[in-house]
Amino acid sequence: MFHYMMLFNRQGKVRLSKWFTETAAKQRKRITTEVVSSVLARAPRQCNFIEWRDKKIVYKRYASLYFVLVADVEANELLSLEVIHLY
């Protein structure tokens, strides 16, 4: 199950976010900050999958935008990348 999807640039400014689970606004801001900082801190040659809390972050960089999908740990990483690619 996918929990949320985000698009942000290399400076960390969120361009689009879609939340599939009920989350309070204050919680959304904190989660967004954590996800953005953990993705931006990674080197370009590292894997596109991050174990984060009890979820999995799958991301892909296209030009200067990062497409991020946060899913359950059991979710298939390649399927998540395909969803990002189709988007």
Side-chain angles (χ1 to χ4, degrees):
M1 177 182 165
F2 301 133
H3 294 281
Y4 30 92
M5 184 172 189
M6 295 178 214
L7 269 74
F8 54 88
N9 62 9
R10 288 191 286 178
Q11 289 76 33
K13 185 174 182 182
V14 177
R15 300 295 182 182
L16 176 76
S17 66
K18 175 68 178 168
W19 298 77
F20 303 111
T21 57
E22 185 78 25
T23 311
K26 192 174 187 179
Q27 183 83 2
R28 285 184 183 189
K29 184 173 171 106
R30 189 175 55 81
I31 289 172
T32 302
T33 305
E34 287 182 31
V35 170
V36 168
S37 63
S38 63
V39 170
L40 290 177
R42 295 178 61 89
R45 309 274 271 155
Q46 284 184 315
C47 180
N48 292 350
F49 314 120
I50 304 171
E51 293 288 329
W52 178 71
R53 295 187 185 176
D54 59 341
K55 297 175 179 59
K56 187 181 303 184
I57 298 173
V58 180
Y59 69 95
K60 181 73 176 160
R61 180 178 165 200
Y62 291 104
S64 64
L65 285 178
Y66 286 92
F67 290 72
V68 177
L69 188 65
V70 179
D72 288 332
V73 175
E74 302 88 31
N76 186 345
E77 296 94 353
L78 297 177
L79 180 63
S80 300
L81 278 175
E82 189 64 28
V83 168
I84 289 173
H85 184 72
L86 287 174
Y87 185 75

